Amino acid sequence: MGYTKDDELAINTIRLLAVDATFKANSGHPGAPMGMAPVAHVMFNKFMNFNPKNPDWLNRDRFVLSNGHGCMLQYALLHLFGYKLSMDDLKAFRQIDSITPGHPETQDTPGIEVTTGPLGQGFSNAVGLAIAQAHTAAEFNKPGFELVNNHTYCFFGDGCAMEGIASEAASTAGHLQLGNLIMVYDDNHISIDGDTKVAFTEDVMMRFEAYGWHTQWVKDGDHDLEGIEKALQIAKDVKDKPSVIKLTTTIGFGSLLQGTGGVHGNALKADDCKQVKKKFGFDPEESFVVPQKVYDMYHAHAAEGAAKEQEWNKMFEEYGSKHKAEHADLLRRLSGKLPEGWEQKLPTYKPGDKEQASRKLSEAVLEAIHEAVPDLIGGSADLTGSNNTRWKNAVDFQPPVLGIGDWRGRYIRYGVREHAMAGIMNGIAAYGTLIPFGGTFLNFVSYASGSVRLSSLSHCRVIYVATHDSIGLGEDGPTHQPIETLAHFRALPNMMVWRPADGNECSAAYYVALTSKSTPSILALTRQNLPQLENSTLENGIKGGYVSVENEKADITLVSTGSEVCICIEAVKYLKDNHNLTARVVSIPCFEVFDAQSKEYRLKCLPDGIPSLSVEAMSTMGWERYSNEQFGLNRFGASGAYKDVYKKFEFTPEGISKRAVSTVDFYKGTKVRSPVNRAFQQLI
Amino acid sequence: MGYTKDDELAINTIRLLAVDATFKANSGHPGAPMGMAPVAHVMFNKFMNFNPKNPDWLNRDRFVLSNGHGCMLQYALLHLFGYKLSMDDLKAFRQIDSITPGHPETQDTPGIEVTTGPLGQGFSNAVGLAIAQAHTAAEFNKPGFELVNNHTYCFFGDGCAMEGIASEAASTAGHLQLGNLIMVYDDNHISIDGDTKVAFTEDVMMRFEAYGWHTQWVKDGDHDLEGIEKALQIAKDVKDKPSVIKLTTTIGFGSLLQGTGGVHGNALKADDCKQVKKKFGFDPEESFVVPQKVYDMYHAHAAEGAAKEQEWNKMFEEYGSKHKAEHADLLRRLSGKLPEGWEQKLPTYKPGDKEQASRKLSEAVLEAIHEAVPDLIGGSADLTGSNNTRWKNAVDFQPPVLGIGDWRGRYIRYGVREHAMAGIMNGIAAYGTLIPFGGTFLNFVSYASGSVRLSSLSHCRVIYVATHDSIGLGEDGPTHQPIETLAHFRALPNMMVWRPADGNECSAAYYVALTSKSTPSILALTRQNLPQLENSTLENGIKGGYVSVENEKADITLVSTGSEVCICIEAVKYLKDNHNLTARVVSIPCFEVFDAQSKEYRLKCLPDGIPSLSVEAMSTMGWERYSNEQFGLNRFGASGAYKDVYKKFEFTPEGISKRAVSTVDFYKGTKVRSPVNRAFQQLI
């Protein structure tokens, strides 16, 4: 309360930084920053705790700009508060190799919590951050030590409000009664197609009420700083519901085009820049101006934040003396390392051990390691019994008042909300104390593509437990049988797609997934049983590929993954018995990891001189990189008992052998080059 | 009204067919059919018009089972009404090559309007069907000739209600005031994880009210047939809003496990089957029983439908005499053919014509053909000005009362709802009178993956106008720059992914997209300008690949698409000038279409004996099929001016040449095999 001209000056400074940066870049979105500068000013200065000198302080309040195209707002704030983001960085907005890219990216810019821009993602990340806070608080806070009590603040616009992922996440947050989550909806009536009346006329606040949120409306978001502050305070005081404040603002406030689509995604024209500066009392000829008063005000709040962190550090030290184990555990978690010796818990198998579906093998891993790795927090998009994602004694993560779990619970009921599950997992991972995993059918990981991509881009350690990974799921049929899915995610940079052939490969997949701090994983797992194979060991598995069956003077190499490896092994016998051909088998459970091995090793697996045939019951796309010829399924599957489906499409020892014979014949007398031998290195 | 024991008998017959079929298959979902049999009985018999002998009758009421796992309900109904679905077909439920697969598939089964199962899809398809009805009515109905006045009915469950795509579609339908759309929400409190209270506690009806729907609640969906009928009648009478009826039912009604998750996705145990039959007054030892009374009742309603169609046919004939042009146009549309000579309107270009972004070239196509092809109905997910999807004089498809368009409008404002846009387009295509296209950035087609997959699986002629197709979009940066996207959709069966290099290729892409009646297309289009190329002709383009620059005794073939083709052409000169190497260039705008050409033709493009290098500024995955070596981007992009980004990643004549030289050196002295030469044919 008690806002003065200085506040107005600060707000206008932010607006003009957005005007200047987008003008200089001749690209970007000035409208949202100009409209949201007032609420940002109030929220950051009056409510949020953070220390720009240590953006990693655990108990900082989190801020997510879900309407990430408005990132000049965020960059301006980071600069004003004294994060490592200079005026030159602002001037390099949207220029190559700057730390101020067109949308906020967490890996590039200090103070950016999550990568946003693709609409709706930040919204779901914020829900994940709030979940992680609630869980971490329940796990580590002790009487007298409220170590973790931060809030998560999020801005979103009409675009996010329209996206399905945000609806899913909002429904989840309402169910979970996340009182630590405060969102501001920028109700500016404008999206790229112009007035939202052309497509978006629902009652957004009524919808959020239906989800179980606390809702408020501040009608003059352009000027009513008191109203904004009051609403934020009320939201903060609501402890048993997430809060949303509808804030009616004027997009591009101050511009000649204010309130129109013209100011949404285009820089202001030169004369408009001048008039708005004049209107705000700035020199129209100058650019990138920050009055010292504004720096002083913002630096003062930054100093308060630094002081709060200092106090916190003291408390944490004391906590360490009283709660040694928890202190050590929290420090370890923040370092990204796993507890010493955890990997000893990973199940191992020997040939002849019981046949099991790899979804069951995955369950066995979770059962075995969940105590050793307390960072793990799992769930499923309403397929718990099918994904086998829940260890026996798991407690649900639920608001205690529901009587079906508590905040310490490590199992999240995501509901049938794949996209939000993935976005929430990215948010949980970003919090810093947890490693999330979440289950759905492999085919429906595609529903979450938007978030899966951001797991990769923003280096989140998240694990997708993707069961029912092929036509082997049988009766559910083509609507559920993945064909293109592995190709899709294998083509995604910084994503490990694992398709284990048996128990040891499954344990290896978890080992690499959990120890890779900045790479997400998809584990493609079967519904049907698989035998435990010779030569499958943890050590081999973690190389991403290895020789499963070696044979000297082989006529052909069969290269395969997952449930088709054991059929290839049967085909070796069939080929010898029926065609007097000698085959060897290579299992490549993870392309990304195999590619990282030395060329020498890869050539040992896939040597020159022997033609190779890949076998995988889905799209052959991408297999040309590891084989000369490909046997797969470049069509949709079929509904039926899984053995019938495999037979129909000839994924049998006979079917494989037929193609192996063709391959051997085709390459007879030629010098076969290993696909590992390439003319040049790829850019990475 | 006036329901008797016979109605109960019919309802229980449906329930038991679901029990028997899932028991025989030992797989499937008996719960939803047993719970929803009452509403289905009332709705189909008292409200819906259809002729089982002609499932294609234009003015039939449409039914969508969005909770497609409950398909035994639908199969039972189709059988009882006399569609071509025999008792043997019911007995073959979920067996290989049956017409009763695990989820309903439109291409396999007469009477199935759309393929459902992936949750939320049917919901959005229903919105599309309703849009198509409203538009077709506005276009073709005349005074005295209400040719098209059908309703779209849809069932959905908790799973669909949780999915973001359904939220998006519901918001859209509410905005559009689709009074012809009636949905029934199966409020059975059970999903796969058990009681919905673990994850889904929102007020669903309040949410639909917020979207602008008319809502009702029938509290005893198991028994209250009068209440169901009344609610459906009220819903039908509401003309200015879509309607949803919350129907509280008992999942697996009659089973010992009724009301629990145990009956959702598993067949009943043998003794449970017996007890439920006994409870319903059936012989517990018999299976697949339909009392003649029930057949009679259902056949009587089918006969009414057939009579209605006959009346309609008479009306349509009369319509033909009074409105000849419209009559002919409608018949043509229903045949799937395009108007004669439409292709003459396609723009063509010659080398030297103005450089243009392919998104602008796409706009030019739409501008040129929209009058000739009145079936086209387009839109964008709130990126109209960026996707260039709107011809100049387009009218918006809007409820007339809003004053910003009308039902005859052919431009749909989808809002920021990519997934629903795609699902709605599938529904529009399924209606039979329209060809939908919709725009978003290529990167955000991924948000719609779930529906895009169903476009392919269910053979929908829909066109995705996917602009901003690469790092060439520049400043928006890695969050918006596709890397994996083309590999993903190229791996999807029955999908044409086009990436035109210039104007003629763009016209060719539209030509093939529009004339392929059962294959969807994605057109990947640039933001940046492209020159018009030599040898690019409609005729070449429609082959999906052709020689762009021929050179005798070439040292290397450069294979490329879209915006990289012109850089490859520059590289030809660079290679000659700097390395004295002779290169040729092949453009492959569409893999799927190129693959369909004769081997002879493909070998002419990609001959043996010359090493080849692919060039595309995204994932190299899949390019091994068309080239010996690959130059691409297996990492995320960068935010900056597009030329800077291209330079950073070396997509320049120099960068290409460097790799071409490596390729030539690498293959020197070896017998290079064309990638077109394969050992065996793939299954298709």
Side-chain angles (χ1 to χ4, degrees):
Chain A
M1 301 296 165
Y3 290 96
T4 68
K5 286 274 165 205
D6 289 350
D7 295 290
E8 203 181 311
L9 182 69
I11 289 165
N12 289 334
T13 299
I14 293 170
R15 286 175 169 146
L16 294 179
L17 285 173
V19 167
D20 286 336
T22 50
F23 183 80
K24 183 162 184 297
N26 191 24
S27 142
H29 301 73
M34 295 173 82
M36 298 197 86
V39 66
H41 173 76
V42 173
M43 197 174 86
F44 275 78
N45 283 289
K46 301 263 172 149
F47 291 89
M48 289 184 63
N49 295 320
F50 51 87
N51 178 9
K53 302 300 168 214
N54 178 14
D56 295 331
W57 173 32
L58 173 60
N59 200 35
R60 70 193 180 277
D61 288 319
R62 305 304 198 272
F63 174 69
V64 176
L65 186 74
S66 191
N67 47 343
H69 53 271
C71 55
M72 259 312 300
L73 174 66
Q74 203 171 1
Y75 298 150
L77 292 164
L78 292 173
H79 171 71
L80 294 178
F81 282 116
Y83 284 83
K84 253 198 190 154
L85 196 150
S86 68
M87 187 59 92
D88 282 342
D89 292 324
L90 292 183
K91 289 179 182 169
F93 179 54
R94 291 189 155 228
Q95 301 308 303
I96 198 115
D97 296 328
S98 75
I99 63 165
T100 46
H103 293 85
E105 295 177 37
T106 178
Q107 72 279 18
D108 287 349
T109 316
I112 302 290
E113 303 286 355
V114 289
T115 299
T116 60
L119 293 171
Q121 297 297 332
F123 188 111
S124 58
N125 300 158
V127 174
L129 286 162
I131 287 172
Q133 188 279 328
H135 178 81
T136 305
E139 195 67 33
F140 289 99
N141 288 0
K142 301 282 171 196
F145 295 98
E146 203 166 302
L147 273 193
V148 176
N149 63 4
N150 73 278
H151 283 72
T152 299
Y153 296 89
C154 175
F155 289 175
F156 70 96
D158 289 301
C160 292
M162 284 187 253
E163 286 287 4
I165 181 178
S167 299
E168 293 175 8
S171 177
T172 306
H175 168 79
L176 292 175
Q177 306 180 10
L178 298 170
N180 58 356
L181 180 62
I182 296 171
M183 300 229 189
V184 177
Y185 163 43
D186 184 18
D187 172 47
N188 65 24
H189 292 280
I190 293 294
S191 65
I192 292 182
D193 271 16
D195 195 307
T196 49
K197 77 177 178 197
V198 303
F200 189 51
T201 45
E202 62 170 66
D203 183 335
V204 180
M205 287 303 99
M206 189 198 279
R207 174 153 67 90
F208 275 78
E209 273 166 45
Y211 294 138
W213 287 52
H214 179 265
T215 68
Q216 298 177 77
W217 184 14
V218 175
K219 294 185 185 177
D220 181 4
D222 298 329
H223 306 94
D224 184 9
L225 304 186
E226 273 87 2
I228 290 170
E229 183 178 337
K230 208 173 125 191
L232 285 166
Q233 188 57 54
I234 290 171
K236 211 174 154 186
D237 292 341
V238 172
K239 307 281 189 203
D240 60 348
K241 287 178 174 190
S243 282
V244 59
I245 299 164
K246 169 168 145 173
L247 186 76
T248 303
T249 68
T250 302
I251 192 168
F253 182 88
S255 158
L256 295 170
L257 297 173
Q258 73 173 26
T260 75
V263 80
H264 177 281
N266 299 300
L268 274 56
K269 298 260 184 308
D271 56 345
D272 194 8
C273 292
K274 287 189 183 171
Q275 77 77 25
V276 72
K277 286 177 186 174
K278 222 166 140 185
K279 194 185 282 171
F280 290 164
F282 282 63
D283 183 338
E285 302 305 323
E286 281 189 59
S287 294
F288 293 100
V289 172
V290 176
Q292 189 56 43
K293 256 189 203 173
V294 174
Y295 275 133
D296 292 347
M297 181 191 295
Y298 276 60
H299 290 169
H301 183 66
E304 283 170 31
K308 282 190 179 149
E309 194 203 345
Q310 274 216 324
E311 273 173 55
W312 187 91
N313 286 336
K314 256 187 252 163
M315 172 173 65
F316 189 48
E317 215 182 297
E318 212 184 314
Y319 178 89
S321 66
K322 297 210 176 159
H323 304 284
K324 210 167 170 168
E326 288 84 350
H327 183 262
D329 186 35
L330 188 52
L331 280 178
R332 176 196 60 75
R333 291 190 188 205
L334 293 171
S335 77
K337 283 186 200 140
L338 299 180
E340 200 124 336
W342 75 278
E343 70 280 4
Q344 305 298 329
K345 305 279 183 186
L346 283 168
T348 54
Y349 303 82
K350 52 185 195 313
D353 281 356
K354 195 177 142 202
E355 294 204 354
Q356 288 192 66
S358 51
R359 59 176 173 152
K360 291 292 291 180
L361 297 163
S362 162
E363 181 180 54
V365 171
L366 295 172
E367 196 65 65
I369 68 169
H370 76 269
E371 280 181 17
V373 187
D375 330 36
L376 276 172
I377 185 163
S380 163
D382 194 50
L383 286 168
T384 296
S386 302
N387 299 144
N388 301 79
T389 31
R390 195 167 193 267
W391 54 81
K392 272 194 211 80
N393 300 319
V395 173
D396 277 10
F397 177 84
Q398 296 278 3
V401 68
L402 295 182
I404 50 177
D406 58 43
W407 298 126
R408 286 191 67 188
R410 290 166 60 195
Y411 196 76
I412 303 177
R413 303 286 185 170
Y414 284 107
V416 190
R417 306 182 184 105
E418 299 82 6
H419 203 172
M421 174 172 77
I424 288 170
M425 289 203 292
N426 289 340
I428 292 174
Y431 192 77
T433 55
L434 290 164
I435 304 173
F437 66 92
T440 185
F441 289 171
L442 177 59
N443 194 51
F444 300 118
V445 179
S446 300
Y447 268 46
S449 301
S451 297
V452 174
R453 182 169 214 272
L454 286 173
S455 303
S456 293
L457 177 57
S458 44
H459 298 181
C460 297
R461 177 164 48 175
V462 306
I463 301 174
Y464 295 91
V465 179
T467 69
H468 295 61
D469 74 339
S470 75
I471 52 169
L473 63 85
E475 291 86 350
D476 273 346
T479 54
H480 287 53
Q481 292 164 347
I483 298 294
E484 76 287 6
T485 320
L486 293 187
H488 171 194
F489 293 117
R490 284 169 178 160
L492 184 62
N494 194 40
M495 171 58 77
M496 296 186 291
V497 177
W498 289 89
R499 190 168 185 248
D502 73 353
N504 290 333
E505 285 194 16
C506 187
S507 290
Y510 270 99
Y511 178 82
V512 183
L514 287 166
T515 53
S516 300
K517 291 185 200 175
S518 54
T519 304
S521 307
I522 294 172
L523 312 187
L525 303 166
T526 66
R527 176 177 184 243
Q528 74 271 30
N529 283 344
L530 301 176
Q532 310 303 328
L533 305 175
E534 300 268 1
N535 294 323
S536 166
T537 59
L538 262 181
E539 200 189 11
N540 276 333
I542 62 176
K543 291 181 184 143
Y546 64 95
V547 180
S548 168
V549 175
E550 192 53 284
N551 265 317
E552 276 185 42
K553 295 199 184 155
D555 298 295
I556 188 164
T557 301
L558 303 174
V559 197
S560 188
T561 72
S563 45
E564 284 77 79
V565 174
C566 59
I567 315 178
C568 285
I569 293 172
E570 288 182 63
V572 171
K573 186 173 181 314
Y574 189 95
L575 278 164
K576 181 53 86 184
D577 292 351
N578 294 278
H579 301 282
N580 197 29
L581 288 176
T582 304
R584 53 198 292 283
V585 178
V586 170
S587 175
I588 309 191
C590 182
F591 289 6
E592 180 105 356
V593 171
F594 182 64
D595 287 348
Q597 306 305 317
S598 71
K599 187 171 175 182
E600 192 192 346
Y601 177 77
R602 285 179 290 131
L603 271 173
K604 223 185 81 189
C605 295
L606 301 170
D608 282 316
I610 307 174
S612 51
L613 171 69
S614 71
V615 180
E616 190 174 61
M618 48 196 85
S619 172
T620 57
M621 182 159 286
W623 272 108
E624 295 88 349
R625 201 174 287 173
Y626 306 97
S627 62
N628 302 109
E629 298 291 320
Q630 296 78 36
F631 176 33
L633 200 58
N634 293 315
R635 51 155 288 166
F636 289 105
S639 170
Y642 102 83
K643 287 197 172 166
D644 293 341
V645 181
Y646 264 68
K647 208 171 152 191
K648 176 182 172 76
F649 296 121
E650 305 182 24
F651 290 95
T652 57
E654 298 84 333
I656 293 169
S657 297
K658 187 169 95 182
R659 288 160 182 86
V661 170
S662 298
T663 301
V664 171
D665 286 350
F666 186 73
Y667 287 91
K668 198 159 274 173
T670 68
K671 256 181 87 173
V672 184
R673 186 193 301 268
S674 165
V676 168
N677 268 320
R678 317 297 303 172
F680 58 88
Q681 287 280 321
Q682 296 293 329
L683 288 171
I684 38 171
Chain B
M1 302 294 165
Y3 290 95
T4 68
K5 286 274 165 203
D6 289 350
D7 295 292
E8 205 181 310
L9 181 70
I11 289 165
N12 288 335
T13 299
I14 293 170
R15 286 174 169 146
L16 293 180
L17 285 174
V19 167
D20 286 335
T22 50
F23 182 80
K24 182 159 186 297
N26 191 24
S27 144
H29 302 73
M34 294 173 83
M36 298 197 85
V39 65
H41 173 76
V42 173
M43 197 174 84
F44 275 77
N45 283 291
K46 300 264 173 151
F47 291 90
M48 289 183 64
N49 295 320
F50 51 88
N51 177 8
K53 302 300 169 217
N54 179 14
D56 294 331
W57 173 33
L58 173 60
N59 199 35
R60 69 193 181 276
D61 287 320
R62 305 304 200 271
F63 174 69
V64 176
L65 186 75
S66 191
N67 46 343
H69 53 273
C71 55
M72 259 313 300
L73 175 65
Q74 203 171 0
Y75 297 151
L77 292 164
L78 292 174
H79 171 69
L80 294 178
F81 282 116
Y83 284 83
K84 254 198 189 154
L85 197 150
S86 68
M87 187 58 92
D88 282 342
D89 292 324
L90 291 184
K91 289 178 183 169
F93 179 55
R94 291 189 154 229
Q95 302 308 303
I96 197 115
D97 296 327
S98 75
I99 63 165
T100 46
H103 293 84
E105 296 177 35
T106 177
Q107 72 279 16
D108 286 349
T109 315
I112 302 289
E113 304 286 354
V114 290
T115 299
T116 59
L119 293 171
Q121 298 297 333
F123 189 111
S124 59
N125 299 159
V127 174
L129 286 163
I131 287 172
Q133 188 279 327
H135 178 81
T136 306
E139 194 67 33
F140 288 99
N141 288 0
K142 301 284 172 194
F145 296 98
E146 204 166 301
L147 272 193
V148 177
N149 62 4
N150 73 280
H151 283 72
T152 299
Y153 295 90
C154 176
F155 288 175
F156 70 97
D158 289 302
C160 292
M162 285 188 253
E163 286 286 4
I165 180 178
S167 299
E168 294 176 6
S171 177
T172 306
H175 168 78
L176 291 175
Q177 307 179 9
L178 297 171
N180 57 356
L181 179 62
I182 296 171
M183 299 228 190
V184 176
Y185 162 42
D186 183 20
D187 172 48
N188 64 26
H189 292 280
I190 294 295
S191 65
I192 292 182
D193 270 16
D195 197 307
T196 50
K197 78 177 176 197
V198 303
F200 188 52
T201 44
E202 61 170 65
D203 183 335
V204 180
M205 287 303 100
M206 189 198 280
R207 175 154 65 89
F208 275 79
E209 272 165 46
Y211 294 138
W213 287 52
H214 179 266
T215 67
Q216 299 179 75
W217 183 14
V218 175
K219 293 184 186 178
D220 181 3
D222 298 329
H223 305 96
D224 184 9
L225 304 186
E226 272 87 4
I228 290 170
E229 182 178 338
K230 208 173 128 192
L232 284 166
Q233 188 59 53
I234 290 171
K236 212 175 152 185
D237 292 342
V238 172
K239 307 281 190 203
D240 59 347
K241 285 179 175 190
S243 281
V244 60
I245 299 164
K246 169 168 145 172
L247 186 76
T248 302
T249 67
T250 303
I251 192 168
F253 182 88
S255 160
L256 295 170
L257 298 172
Q258 72 173 27
T260 76
V263 78
H264 177 281
N266 299 302
L268 273 58
K269 298 260 184 308
D271 55 346
D272 195 8
C273 291
K274 286 190 186 172
Q275 77 78 25
V276 72
K277 284 176 189 175
K278 220 167 141 183
K279 194 185 284 171
F280 289 164
F282 282 63
D283 183 340
E285 302 306 323
E286 281 189 59
S287 294
F288 293 101
V289 172
V290 177
Q292 189 56 42
K293 253 187 206 174
V294 173
Y295 274 133
D296 292 348
M297 183 191 295
Y298 277 60
H299 289 169
H301 183 67
E304 282 170 32
K308 281 189 180 152
E309 194 204 345
Q310 274 216 325
E311 272 172 56
W312 188 91
N313 286 337
K314 255 187 251 163
M315 173 173 67
F316 189 47
E317 215 182 299
E318 211 184 314
Y319 179 89
S321 66
K322 297 207 177 160
H323 304 284
K324 208 165 171 169
E326 288 84 351
H327 183 263
D329 186 34
L330 187 51
L331 281 178
R332 176 195 60 74
R333 291 190 189 205
L334 293 171
S335 77
K337 283 186 201 139
L338 299 180
E340 199 124 338
W342 75 277
E343 72 279 3
Q344 304 298 330
K345 305 279 183 185
L346 284 168
T348 55
Y349 302 82
K350 54 186 192 313
D353 281 357
K354 196 177 141 203
E355 295 202 355
Q356 287 190 68
S358 50
R359 60 176 171 150
K360 291 291 292 178
L361 296 163
S362 162
E363 181 180 54
V365 171
L366 295 172
E367 195 66 65
I369 69 169
H370 75 269
E371 280 181 16
V373 188
D375 330 37
L376 276 172
I377 185 162
S380 162
D382 194 50
L383 286 168
T384 297
S386 301
N387 298 145
N388 301 78
T389 31
R390 195 168 193 267
W391 54 81
K392 272 194 212 80
N393 300 320
V395 173
D396 276 11
F397 177 84
Q398 296 278 3
V401 68
L402 295 182
I404 50 176
D406 57 44
W407 298 127
R408 286 192 66 189
R410 290 166 58 195
Y411 195 76
I412 302 176
R413 303 287 184 169
Y414 285 106
V416 190
R417 305 181 184 106
E418 299 81 6
H419 202 173
M421 174 172 76
I424 289 171
M425 288 203 292
N426 289 340
I428 292 175
Y431 191 77
T433 55
L434 289 165
I435 305 173
F437 66 91
T440 184
F441 289 171
L442 177 59
N443 195 51
F444 299 118
V445 179
S446 300
Y447 269 45
S449 300
S451 298
V452 174
R453 182 169 214 274
L454 287 173
S455 303
S456 292
L457 177 57
S458 44
H459 298 181
C460 297
R461 176 164 50 175
V462 305
I463 301 174
Y464 294 91
V465 179
T467 70
H468 296 61
D469 74 339
S470 76
I471 52 169
L473 63 84
E475 291 87 349
D476 274 345
T479 54
H480 287 54
Q481 292 164 348
I483 298 295
E484 76 286 6
T485 320
L486 292 188
H488 171 194
F489 293 117
R490 283 169 178 159
L492 183 62
N494 193 41
M495 171 59 77
M496 296 185 290
V497 178
W498 288 89
R499 191 169 186 247
D502 73 351
N504 290 334
E505 285 194 16
C506 187
S507 290
Y510 271 99
Y511 178 83
V512 182
L514 287 167
T515 54
S516 300
K517 291 185 199 175
S518 54
T519 304
S521 307
I522 294 173
L523 312 187
L525 303 166
T526 66
R527 177 178 184 241
Q528 74 272 28
N529 283 343
L530 302 177
Q532 310 304 327
L533 305 175
E534 300 269 1
N535 294 323
S536 165
T537 59
L538 262 180
E539 201 188 10
N540 276 332
I542 62 176
K543 290 180 185 143
Y546 63 94
V547 180
S548 167
V549 175
E550 192 52 285
N551 264 317
E552 276 185 41
K553 295 197 185 158
D555 299 294
I556 188 164
T557 302
L558 304 174
V559 198
S560 188
T561 71
S563 46
E564 284 76 80
V565 175
C566 60
I567 314 179
C568 285
I569 293 173
E570 287 182 64
V572 171
K573 186 174 181 316
Y574 189 95
L575 278 163
K576 181 53 85 184
D577 292 350
N578 294 277
H579 301 282
N580 196 28
L581 288 176
T582 303
R584 54 198 292 283
V585 178
V586 170
S587 175
I588 309 192
C590 181
F591 287 9
E592 180 104 358
V593 171
F594 182 64
D595 287 349
Q597 306 305 314
S598 71
K599 186 171 176 185
E600 191 192 347
Y601 177 78
R602 285 179 291 131
L603 271 174
K604 224 185 82 188
C605 295
L606 301 169
D608 283 316
I610 307 174
S612 51
L613 171 69
S614 72
V615 180
E616 188 173 62
M618 49 196 84
S619 173
T620 57
M621 182 160 287
W623 271 107
E624 296 88 350
R625 200 173 289 173
Y626 306 97
S627 61
N628 302 108
E629 298 292 320
Q630 296 78 37
F631 176 32
L633 201 58
N634 294 315
R635 52 155 286 166
F636 289 105
S639 169
Y642 103 83
K643 288 196 173 168
D644 293 341
V645 181
Y646 264 69
K647 208 171 152 189
K648 176 181 172 77
F649 296 121
E650 305 182 24
F651 290 96
T652 56
E654 298 84 332
I656 293 168
S657 297
K658 188 170 95 183
R659 289 160 180 87
V661 169
S662 298
T663 301
V664 171
D665 286 350
F666 186 73
Y667 287 91
K668 197 160 274 171
T670 68
K671 256 181 86 174
V672 184
R673 187 193 299 268
S674 165
V676 168
N677 268 320
R678 317 296 303 171
F680 58 87
Q681 287 281 322
Q682 297 292 330
L683 286 171
I684 39 171

